[in-house]
Amino acid sequence: MSRKKVGALPAPARAAMVQIPIKRTIDRIPGGMMIVPLFLGAIIRTWLPGMPQFFGSFTGALFTGALTILAIFYVCMGSTIEFNATPYIIKKGGALFAAKVGVAVLAGILLGRLWGEAPVSGGVLAGLSTLAVVAAMNDTNGGLYMALMGQFGAPRDVAAYTIMSIESGPFLTMVTLGVAGLSAFPWQALVGAILPLALGMVLGNVDRQMKAFLSPAVPVLIPFFALALGANIDLKTVWHAGILGVGLGIFVVVVTGIVLFLTDRLTGGNGTAGLAAASTAGNAAAVPAIVAAANPAYRPAAATATILVATSVVVTAILVPIVTAWWYRRMQARQPAAVPAAAMQP
């Protein structure tokens, strides 16, 4: 449409064309599609707690249907996980997966002996819990990893996330907490936690059209379950979680970063892929609520753990690209300079 024609439009038509960059603004925030709706739900829960019940119907369901939305989310997420992988992808992805989960298990065992299931009740660490630490460490931010490896790695390093994506969901966190000697989960809860993801994996692998149908819903569902999760959080009781969340994010980058860096070097890499995986996935913020629903022993820790993990998502999304880019540039600087072809002539 020419400028002349636009100017000729009546005022109501021109006003209708005005666009507000809501998504672009949210996308500028690391993990914004998870963080912004989560805090919006928490704000409503804190200052307008009766609103979902007042409106009821579909509006009320948006604030109370977190587990239902998450079940759908994990079916769609599962459809993106490939069964078939090359030996390199299995080796690289499997090693990083085992290292990430292994260090979370170790942290769960150590902290479980100190704190048990309940959050720390006093002091500088008040509100921190074994659940929060394990949930933050267990799940890698796949989008961030693939973006970084797409820039600093090889395509096969990007594909390694097909193995690492098995971390998604509450299943491994439940297993980790059980291994740590804390309250056990009935086998039905463990199986139920992984069934939606497994169903999605089967559908996506046996029928490519089902994968194409389900996979686009993954990013769409994130703000909806984030809003419902936030609606269970009272900000007045977790005001201190911001500072703790920053500390938790730094802890995840440092501890898992070191382990994953060494694992990557041992499997033939230069450490870049390991550092790129030292993050917390946005959907990890959903894990505490699911764990608490499966085992009431974790309910006192769930609300604060959700905020802590959500903060860790933001912190790791900022720090991991910085650390990964710094290490990549350092590796590039160590490479011998290419000798010009003209200089090789006798």
Side-chain angles (χ1 to χ4, degrees), residues 222-238:
I222 290 174
F224 293 101
F225 75 68
L227 178 70
L229 288 173
N232 293 304
I233 299 170
D234 188 339
L235 292 177
K236 294 176 183 177
T237 65
V238 292

Side-chain angles (χ1 to χ4, degrees), residues 85-97:
T86 65
Y88 177 86
I89 293 173
I90 295 175
K91 175 185 175 183
K92 177 69 69 175
L96 294 177
F97 165 79

